[in-house]
Amino acid sequence: MTADTPKKNIVIIGGSCVAIAAALEAKKTLPSTHRVIIIEKHSHFHYMFAFPRACVIEGWENELFAPYTKLFDSHPGKGQVIQALATNITKTHVEIDRPIEGFGTSIEYEYLIYATGARHPEPGNLNDHDTKTGAVQKLKEVQAKIQKATKILLIGGGAVGLELATEIREHFPEKEVTLVHSRDRYMPSYKMRMHNKTVEILAEFGVREIRGDRVVIPEGGFKDDFKMIKVATRDGKEIESDLQILCTGMTPQSDLLSKLSPQSINPKNRLVLTKPSLQIVDDTFPNIFSAGDVADLEDVKTGGAAWRQGIVCMNNIIKLIDSPQTTSTGLTQHSPMPPQIMLYFGLAQGVAQLKIFFIMICTAWNFLLRRFFSYNIGAARAWAWLGTPMTKETTDK
């Protein structure tokens, strides 16, 4: 390869944990013939793990949005992050919504990682806010709503709903918080002890629970007018509240790939079907991989699981670059990550299921968990991943 030979592109659609893990792996081992191009519509990485707390506590929102600009600075030529929205995928190119210097509106790829993730309701996800300024403003708006409300209804008892409920009660104990969860059990993918300890802590915080029932959401959704209304459940209960926050489910963002390869989309859940190598199931496209929340994998959908999947994708692409005839079975086979998670219930409590020394433990021992605690839920690690130190100067930009 000469200096004038253009590098071939490994394009990643989506700039979250899959992309960052794959990029960091590429910086170590990617041949000089190739580079990584990440297409991400957000200007900054969203550290959404801390959004529930940032919806309640003011003054540190800037720390949750780390810039992509220096991700490849330590390895020039290895890659680039492009702020744009992917609008179409062909057999050879990804089309984007704006012209980018050196690419125009179409980026050629030799390999593609489809990691578009899933949409979640705000404020657990801020997918529609492409700039840091807009995302921070949204968090501040939610803070103001919570401060103004007196009776708050949280709909959905996943990680976001649970953490938000305890944060509100810890910092605004005068406010009434009701949490409605459609299942009888919290966090059903984890050990029963997670559920039991969660119930204990919710009771300690004074969160009113309704489990095994669903809220009837009015046509057009709830109005943010702070009028006290009675919200019905399917079982006939009525909940009085002046603020309603959705913390429910996810919608896979698989539409782009479905146009190129309809057979790679599970019609039951709209997730992307993959082989154990994380190549999509469509044999027409052995150069296309998928991972993260958009992929139909056994893993519980967490940042940690997505990170591991990103590494598998990149390692397999590097193998194919070295040996293009390698079959799917000759590549690294993804194995599901044992379910692991940490839930932060206020500033000093939590529950976790962790793998420590090959042993899976589920604990609410605060003396053990406290070493993982920080007011920003470890946001500094995202800045480190992206090559920018987290300081007052950098976070204020």
Side-chain angles (χ1 to χ4, degrees):
M1 179 179 179
T2 67
D4 295 329
T5 305
K7 294 191 175 189
K8 297 178 180 178
N9 296 328
I10 301 167
V11 171
I12 306 176
I13 304 178
S16 198
C17 288
V18 171
I20 294 173
L24 294 179
E25 193 70 13
K27 288 199 291 186
K28 295 186 290 186
T29 56
L30 186 65
S32 60
T33 52
H34 289 70
R35 62 179 176 176
V36 175
I37 304 295
I38 298 173
I39 302 172
E40 168 56 52
K41 70 171 190 168
H42 294 145
S43 62
H44 292 64
F45 174 78
H46 287 200
Y47 193 74
M48 57 188 293
F49 311 110
F51 283 2
R53 178 168 293 172
C55 288
V56 180
I57 305 176
E58 301 174 287
W60 55 288
E61 305 86 358
N62 285 340
E63 297 178 14
L64 306 183
F65 303 96
Y68 289 103
T69 50
K70 294 185 181 297
L71 175 57
F72 292 102
D73 273 13
S74 61
H75 293 73
K78 285 283 190 179
Q80 181 177 345
V81 181
I82 290 172
Q83 186 184 1
L85 176 67
T87 57
N88 189 43
I89 304 172
T90 73
K91 294 180 179 179
T92 57
H93 290 73
V94 177
E95 297 171 5
I96 54 178
D97 67 341
R98 68 201 74 174
I100 299 293
E101 185 178 355
F103 298 97
T105 57
S106 184
I107 302 173
E108 187 175 8
Y109 68 88
E110 183 172 77
Y111 294 94
L112 175 69
I113 301 176
Y114 190 81
T116 50
R119 293 185 65 88
H120 303 255
E122 292 183 351
N125 180 296
L126 300 179
N127 191 68
D128 292 332
H129 301 276
D130 295 349
T131 66
K132 177 175 182 173
T133 300
V136 168
Q137 181 59 36
K138 181 61 183 181
L139 289 175
K140 290 182 176 180
E141 289 174 6
V142 177
Q143 293 165 4
K145 290 177 183 179
I146 289 173
Q147 289 170 14
K148 185 175 180 179
T150 58
K151 295 184 177 182
I152 301 169
L153 170 60
L154 303 178
I155 303 163
V160 172
L162 292 168
E163 292 186 333
L164 189 53
T166 53
E167 293 286 353
I168 295 172
R169 285 292 297 167
E170 179 171 74
H171 296 282
F172 300 103
E174 74 281 3
K175 299 184 187 295
E176 183 178 295
V177 175
T178 301
L179 177 65
V180 179
H181 187 49
S182 61
R183 302 186 183 189
D184 292 322
R185 177 178 168 182
Y186 297 118
M187 311 301 288
S189 299
Y190 299 86
K191 293 180 181 293
M192 190 66 187
R193 180 172 165 80
M194 282 279 289
H195 166 81
N196 292 338
K197 295 304 297 184
T198 296
V199 170
E200 288 181 22
I201 293 173
L202 290 175
E204 180 181 332
F205 275 100
V207 176
R208 180 191 176 199
E209 297 177 76
I210 298 177
R211 282 183 270 136
D213 199 356
R214 292 180 182 270
V215 165
V216 179
I217 298 176
E219 187 175 350
F222 294 105
K223 298 177 180 179
D224 286 337
D225 56 9
F226 298 99
K227 291 182 179 179
M228 196 66 69
I229 62 173
K230 290 185 177 179
V231 179
T233 72
R234 290 187 181 177
D235 286 354
K237 299 181 181 70
E238 287 189 334
I239 307 162
E240 193 174 62
S241 63
D242 56 357
L243 177 62
Q244 304 80 32
I245 301 177
L246 292 176
C247 308
T248 52
M250 51 167 263
T251 303
Q253 299 188 116
S254 57
D255 289 352
L256 269 185
L257 187 62
S258 71
K259 297 172 186 176
L260 178 68
S261 177
Q263 71 191 71
S264 295
I265 308 300
N266 185 335
K268 295 180 180 178
N269 56 23
R270 303 303 298 167
L271 293 168
V272 178
L273 296 166
T274 71
K275 301 175 182 179
S277 60
L278 299 186
Q279 294 163 299
I280 62 174
V281 294
D282 188 346
D283 288 331
T284 308
F285 303 104
N287 60 330
I288 297 181
F289 293 72
S290 186
D293 284 359
V294 76
D296 197 3
L297 299 169
E298 293 179 38
D299 307 69
V300 178
K301 296 195 177 301
T302 63
W307 191 277
R308 291 176 76 246
Q309 294 160 21
I311 292 172
V312 171
C313 288
M314 185 53 65
N315 282 335
N316 281 340
I317 287 171
I318 291 170
K319 286 183 181 179
L320 287 171
I321 292 170
D322 291 339
S323 303
Q325 302 306 314
T326 304
T327 63
S328 177
T329 55
L331 298 173
T332 299
Q333 307 293 288
H334 168 68
S335 57
M337 177 181 176
Q340 299 183 66
I341 197 169
M342 290 190 65
L343 297 179
Y344 294 81
F345 293 154
L347 293 173
Q349 293 198 66
V351 294
Q353 182 168 308
L354 302 170
K355 187 175 183 181
I356 300 176
F357 299 121
F358 306 103
I359 300 173
M360 189 64 67
I361 67 166
C362 184
T363 181
W365 297 340
N366 290 331
F367 74 87
L368 176 61
L369 297 180
R370 198 164 287 122
R371 66 181 295 249
F372 298 104
F373 275 53
S374 67
Y375 74 95
N376 62 12
I377 321 292
R381 60 179 177 163
W383 292 76
W385 298 336
L386 293 165
T388 299
M390 192 187 81
T391 65
K392 186 179 187 308
E393 181 182 356
T394 57
T395 57
D396 284 347
K397 290 183 179 179

